[in-house]
Amino acid sequence: KQNEFEMMNGFTEAITNPRANELLCIALEGKGAFRRFKDTLHRIDKTDEWYTFKREAYIVLAREWCNDNNIPYFR
């Protein structure tokens, strides 16, 4: 879950709309952050952007793992 929380932070930092950024920052505070984050994504209409960002972030993680373990990867 730590990687996904870091992804959520990275996504929030990439949001240039000040109000949307503020809402996502608030959502990430404290217990229940994952649920609040997803609820907020729906409210600000950024769900599709989040899933694209998340998919790309997991690809980067997988590529790094493969490189660290000398395993070829394909995309």
Side-chain angles (χ1 to χ4, degrees), residues 4-13 15 20-21 23-44 46-47 49-51 53-54:
E4 189 161 342
F5 190 79
E6 290 172 9
M7 289 176 200
M8 291 162 43
N9 275 313
F11 180 77
T12 299
E13 290 172 2
I15 298 296
N21 179 279
L23 291 171
L24 288 170
C25 285
I26 291 168
L28 290 175
E29 294 176 2
K31 189 173 182 171
F34 285 83
R35 170 55 42 209
R36 281 193 311 277
F37 182 80
K38 289 181 181 182
D39 290 345
T40 302
L41 288 172
H42 290 294
R43 283 200 320 271
I44 64 173
K46 296 285 185 191
T47 303
E49 289 177 46
W50 159 244
Y51 284 114
F53 181 92
K54 181 179 167 182

